[in-house]
Amino acid sequence: MKSAVITFPGSNREGDVIRALHQASGAEPLKIWHQDHELPQGTDLVVLPGGFSYGDYLRCGAIASRSPVMDAVRSHAAKGGLVLGICNGFQILVESGLLPGVLMRNAGLKFICKMQHLKVCRANTPFTSAYKKNQIIKVAIAHGEGNYIADDETIAMLEDGNRIAFRYCDAEGDTEKGNPNGSINSVAGIYSKKLNVLGMMPHPENLIETLVGGTDGRGLFASITAHKGAA
Amino acid sequence: MKARVTVTLKNGVLDPQGKAIEGALKSFGLEGIESVRQGKIFDIELNSSDPAEAETLLKAAAEKLLANMVVENYRIEILG
Amino acid sequence: MKARVTVTLKNGVLDPQGKAIEGALKSFGLEGIESVRQGKIFDIELNSSDPAEAETLLKAAAEKLLANMVVENYRIEILG
Amino acid sequence: MQNNIAITPELVAQHGLKPDEYKRILDLIGREPTLTELGIFSAMWNEHCSYKSSRLHLKELPTKAPWVIQGPGENAGVIDIGDGLACVFKMESHNHPSYIEPYQGAATGVGGILRDVFTMGARPIATLNALRFGSPDHPKTRHLVSGVVAGIGGYGNSFGVPTVGGQMGFHTRYDGNILVNAMAVGIAKADEIFYAKATGVGNPIVYLGSKTGRDGIHGATMASAAFDDAAEEKRPTVQVGDPFAEKLLLEACRELMQTGAVIAIQDMGAAGLTSSAVEMGAKGDLGIELDLDKVPCRETGMTAYEMMLSESQERMLMVLQPGKEKEAEAIFIKWGLDFAIIGKTTDTLRFVIKQHGEVMADLPIKELGDQAPLYDRPFVETPKRPAIDPKSVTPLMGNANAIVKLMGSPDFASKRWVWEQYDHLILGNTVQSPGGDAAVVRLGDGPRGLALTSDVTPRYCEADPFEGGKQAVAEAYRNIIAVGGTPRAITDNLNFGNPERPDYMGQLVYCIRGLGDACKALDFPVVSGNVSLYNETNGRGILPTPTVGGVGVVDDVSKTATLAFKAAGEFILLIGETKGWLGSSAWLATIAGREEGAPPPVDLEAEKKHGAFISSLIQDGHATSCHDLSDGGLAIALAEMALAGNMGAKIDKLPEGLPNHAALFGEDQARYLVTVKDQAMAAIILRRASSAGVPALMLGKTGGQELTLPGESPISLERLKKAHEDWLPSYVAGEI
Ligand SMILES: Nc1ncnc2c1ncn2[C@@H]1O[C@H](COP(=O)(O)OP(=O)(O)O)[C@@H](O)[C@H]1O
Ligand SMILES: [Mg+2]
């Protein structure tokens, strides 16, 4: 599998996701600088990593979403290529119009870093085939602006289209009790219409080893690898 | 030339930060405050002296970057 | 009654946000932009109708919470 | 503002220079200094840069060991940690700025210490911090707590380094003077360390990073303002941090270091351009000439005086290999940072500053540092306090209630509210998160790692500075041992009151002696540090607070221990001797409201012996959990282990011959709690202890959802947890 991890000024979790992809696929992802205008030939997966691109100044992801490389990411997505945006990457996807909605300040107005349970809303996608539907997994969150908000119409479109990827929940799967940041319907991640673009706030890339918190994040990278293997 | 671009949330868009500030002000005993909504301003120095040209430039800046047109409105003032 | 409190950074205080936005606008080819400084506005609904009373209330709100007087200035406008 | 105005005694005083110090300047340069020169002297000769009150005593600290690569004297200390790697670390205070503007003060404190570490060629992999606030009832405390914590998180999270540990305490003696000590830890290849020493004549000096503004020109601003005809609004003296710029600076510096272009590098911290340039020149026996017209400025009309004293953040100075300028510039432009050649090295040993073609300062460079005043200030020893006989103290409440009360008191309450605002997981190597004894951070893909901790018990230091100093080191040592690490070296941050008062000077001197003795005995040298004096509130000094940042090596991160009880039916052993020492204890302070008595003495030989014993248990895989005993004693340690594992315990036996409150809350040192799988293993460990001459006692077993102590009513974990977890969030929310 050929993956390209985009680095923006202020990205800081690119190493973490590179490690996870490498572990799952055995191949070393390429690091792409935000000023590049093209993706490497044959790129299967584009990752927009976590971090504070441009310091999170103005609005999270806003400045990065206008980077030269984003046009290439857009056309990659339009052709059905896989795009994964994690945390700041999700914010960039939303700002660039590849996914609907906005991510606002957490309801508690504080940055939150902790272990968080998620419900996998559907398993039959390129990103989640290694999980079971409604499986509860434990991953990390680390963000100050992950409060997903969209107008009623958009929410209805996402819900009806079965495009919610993950919801926050507690250990028992209660999505209301487990919501850490005020997101509408406890949304933690969403898909594009064709399910090839996934944006999510939590960090599966930090949960890939027993020694460092657990391995519930591995499934996501295993799914992507399996999807590419099958394709 | 100096100008100010003001960016505010569209009506109906939830403003968690404004709400929290509202709550904090109320908890300080500042009675009489009903609601707070937060916005941003950008004070911009331009090297042009033509107001029309400035306006075009600022419009581009606002729509390309300063405002998220999905949830925000903007206003341009040329301060001279 | 409606009012607006505008909070801006004092002169000379570093504005990392403004600096980053300025850099971004320049890199988009928006020539003519020399500098950007960012500030905040708070649009506040008050249940009083007495401007003097409102002014006192807003002054307290600004100094207690809305502005960080160490690095910021504020201005109150009663919009009626 | 004029550079060659007459220097009046008032002006000298406004620059914090004493009349005899000014006389020293006149003797050194043989003429009246210019205003810029006066500013340069004031920056170089203040307490912060010259260590004039502490230098004499700091010499007593042991700084050597076979694994020490660089001791004090550079931006950060460096130790060899095996596999060709070096660990680079230091701690620094930002106390006064954080009181004035908590968010920015704390944020720039983190930024400064990160720069110290990456200046040496290391990539930061973790930060820690030690915070002391005033009484929770003090009207400013809540605001300060929120601001400082947000500032530390705001900077570290954005920069992209995990904040893995720290401490936070409250005491009325910090009411008007909080402490914010930040520690950064980085990793470099042992043979690729960068230093501040310039070499070669005529080499370019380059300025990198953010632009210079009038930030933080402290007290001196007033002096300069008086000579500024343009009446301007009074400028704030706080610096604003830009973690985004710092992240870019890190990446750009690392890229540049790879090219082999860097001869010397120095970050611009306190006294910015002045101290960084002087340090590079003086260390290399070279002169430095700067042309201020080339310095990238954020504001217009900055004078030489202002530029030399500015403390704008996220800036670096380098001496480059000639001919490499273009290559270096390209790297900095790629990262969107300023790059300017602002001067060169010379063979004159003069520090020459030019602006608009005029010489604004021309000073002997070595003397600026070497001839700084050095004081042997008078000091008196803190009078010894009597030891308190445990039997003479009658408890004011039942022991079970006292445990709950202590666990919910400001110093012991869970600091989750704090560390959940810090990204402690980024980089994917945090094996032990905040909340344990020491944090454990894996290096790369392992198996090696580091154990990191910061410790001090100011109450002990106030009662007996010498024992308190020893204890701070001993506790850092124990914390590293308890997670399975080998203690290697420390950094220290000495926070004290006014050194011109013999009693406070005595606290400094005896704390340093205590630190030194403990470091020597434990083979735990000091490789870097920082001194912060004149910390006082309403004319009264803070509690003496020599914060210790400890670093240990973990050979295999899969062989570490945590404090959480793991399973029901395991056996709990107490290692070390319990005499029921209640003097200066947390129990006496919190439950009885008395801060009295001599603090627990620290037996360094016992620390070493017990530490070695615990290490072997963890290495052999026998300890299923481990926790050291510190303030709050046995009771608090048990409660913490139970809460961490969500698993109760039934204690059948306590150390003999003591009233329960002394056995439970006594703060005797050199103690640990461990659990082992079963009775057979417990018997083996007890035998091993007895042949090693280590006191050990079997206390009871894990299990259930209660903590049951002999003769006391059981305490439900739920009640304990509520008391422990609720205090801090409720406090900051203003609910209590
Ligand atoms: N308490 C101390 N113990 C040991 N070394 C110290 C102590 N205080 C300062 N140092 C050392 O003195 C040198 C100068 O310290 P400092 O001025 O704080 O550095 P910087 O210029 O990076 O801020 C450093 O190498 C530091 O490690
Ligand atoms: Mg330094």
Side-chain angles (χ1 to χ4, degrees), chain D residues 48-49 51 58 61 72-75 90 92 116 266-267 279 492 494 526-531:
Chain D
H48 184 87
C49 280
Y51 292 89
L58 290 176
L61 294 172
E74 280 284 339
N75 282 308
K90 181 167 186 240
E92 197 155 79
D116 274 333
Q266 176 66 36
D267 72 298
E279 206 152 310
D492 64 359
L494 306 176
V526 180
V527 297
S528 61
N530 176 247
V531 179

Side-chain angles (χ1 to χ4, degrees), chain A residues 9-14 16 19 33 52-55 57 110-115 140-142 206 209 211-212, chain D residues 157-158 160 242-244 247-248 335 417 420-431 442 444-445 557:
Chain A
S11 294
N12 61 23
R13 260 188 170 87
E14 71 277 18
D16 304 26
R19 186 189 246 174
W33 186 233
F52 286 67
S53 60
Y54 294 92
Y57 300 144
K110 286 198 306 285
F111 186 95
I112 312 170
C113 174
K114 62 169 194 163
M115 290 299 169
I141 55 168
N206 284 138
E209 283 168 280
L211 260 180
V212 189
Chain D
N157 298 346
S158 175
D242 183 354
F244 170 58
K247 166 79 170 153
L248 303 180
W335 288 100
W417 180 90
E420 281 190 349
Q421 292 183 61
Y422 301 153
D423 192 335
H424 50 273
L425 300 170
I426 187 167
L427 306 183
N429 285 326
T430 309
V431 176
R442 183 178 56 180
D445 292 323
V557 290

